[in-house]
Amino acid sequence: NAGVTQTPKFQVLKTGQSMTLQCAQDMNHNSMYWYRQDPGMGLRLIYYSASEGTTDKGEVPNGYNVSRLNKREFSLRLESAAPSQTSVYFCASSGVRSFGNTIYFGEGSWLTVV
Amino acid sequence: DQQVKQNSPSLSVQEGRISILNCDYTNSMFDYFLWYKKYPAEGPTFLISISSIKDKNEDGRFTVFLNKSAKHLSLHIVPSQPGDSAVYFCAASGGGGADGLTFGKGTHLIIQP
């Protein structure tokens, strides 16, 4: 029972480098999300996808791009990493739009930008 | 402007006693509320939820209370156990904005033996 799987678990980047965080869910969920968690800040929504082929900005989208590759996969790309993007990133999914529904999270990806 | 607030960054409770975690919200359009539990180096896991049409929901040792007029919810854990030591996040949805949940900053619950 994998649920939501995200890779890589740990990554160190130099300022200006690019990378993609991968996420896949096996629960046949329609909606997928990317959150970041910073110390003392809770979880903040970066981007979400309500269905295959659609993506929308969340609270903190600047510096990121996303791709909903198919119903299972939702990737997050940092085109030119900055130290302010050092964070823990969580991918999540839910059955329908999150209103009234539960979101399930992956294990997290620890990203350090130096 | 924080729409979901958890004003206690940490809470220490003796094993066997009741733990009460509090959460306040400002957006009156929120209609669904959830609590998540998070251990270090793991993703948040869903604990319990409540719809705005209810004022109480129970699941075993966990009970969530919602006071809509005060825009306040609380999570009660009875009795508290060592495995309950974790960070607890309050979350809300239906706020009329972007999809996804709006989270509080979390409360670190420490259960002391």
Side-chain angles (χ1 to χ4, degrees):
Chain A
N1 53 345
V4 179
T5 305
Q6 51 182 113
T7 56
K9 185 119 177 144
F10 300 98
Q11 183 73 49
V12 179
L13 283 178
K14 292 182 179 179
T15 299
Q17 285 185 321
S18 63
M19 77 158 296
T20 299
L21 298 175
Q22 307 286 353
C23 175
Q25 52 91 8
D26 62 3
M27 296 176 281
N28 200 34
H29 284 168
N30 289 317
S31 296
M32 297 186 72
Y33 313 84
W34 277 105
Y35 284 85
R36 62 178 286 173
Q37 185 193 9
D38 301 294
M41 293 296 293
L43 292 100
R44 293 181 293 170
L45 183 64
I46 305 171
Y47 270 94
Y48 68 97
S49 169
S51 62
E52 186 178 349
T54 69
T55 61
D56 286 285
K57 295 178 181 179
E59 182 186 353
V60 288
N62 291 344
Y64 305 96
N65 286 302
V66 290
S67 295
R68 183 73 182 267
L69 305 169
N70 48 55
K71 190 171 185 179
R72 289 188 64 246
E73 298 173 287
F74 188 39
S75 63
L76 177 73
R77 183 161 178 83
L78 288 70
E79 291 290 352
S80 179
S84 61
Q85 294 178 304
T86 293
S87 187
V88 184
Y89 292 85
F90 291 100
C91 179
S93 69
S94 68
V96 292
R97 292 176 71 93
S98 67
F99 309 127
N101 223 24
T102 301
I103 288 181
Y104 297 92
F105 286 85
E107 293 286 296
S109 295
W110 274 253
L111 176 65
T112 301
V113 182
V114 297
Chain B
D1 180 29
Q2 229 188 327
Q3 297 188 71
V4 177
K5 301 177 184 178
Q6 293 177 257
N7 292 320
S8 298
S10 65
L11 175 67
S12 184
V13 174
Q14 204 165 9
E15 181 179 356
R17 300 285 191 120
I18 182 171
S19 295
I20 301 176
L21 294 90
N22 293 304
C23 178
D24 298 294
Y25 61 96
T26 58
N27 190 332
S28 58
M29 292 181 67
F30 286 142
D31 59 5
Y32 190 65
F33 304 89
L34 308 90
W35 285 94
Y36 282 81
K37 177 179 180 180
K38 186 182 181 304
Y39 293 118
E42 294 185 10
T45 55
F46 170 72
L47 193 57
I48 192 169
S49 62
I50 187 167
S51 165
S52 60
I53 63 173
K54 295 185 175 181
D55 55 17
K56 178 182 175 181
N57 188 29
E58 284 182 83
D59 184 0
R61 296 187 297 114
F62 303 93
T63 303
V64 56
F65 295 92
L66 175 63
N67 182 333
K68 282 183 63 179
S69 61
K71 293 190 177 69
H72 177 83
L73 63 155
S74 61
L75 173 68
H76 292 210
I77 306 173
V78 183
S80 300
Q81 299 175 354
D84 296 331
S85 294
V87 177
Y88 290 78
F89 289 101
C90 173
S93 71
D99 194 5
L101 298 175
T102 302
F103 284 84
K105 293 184 177 182
T107 296
H108 185 194
L109 176 65
I110 302 162
I111 305 301
Q112 298 194 340

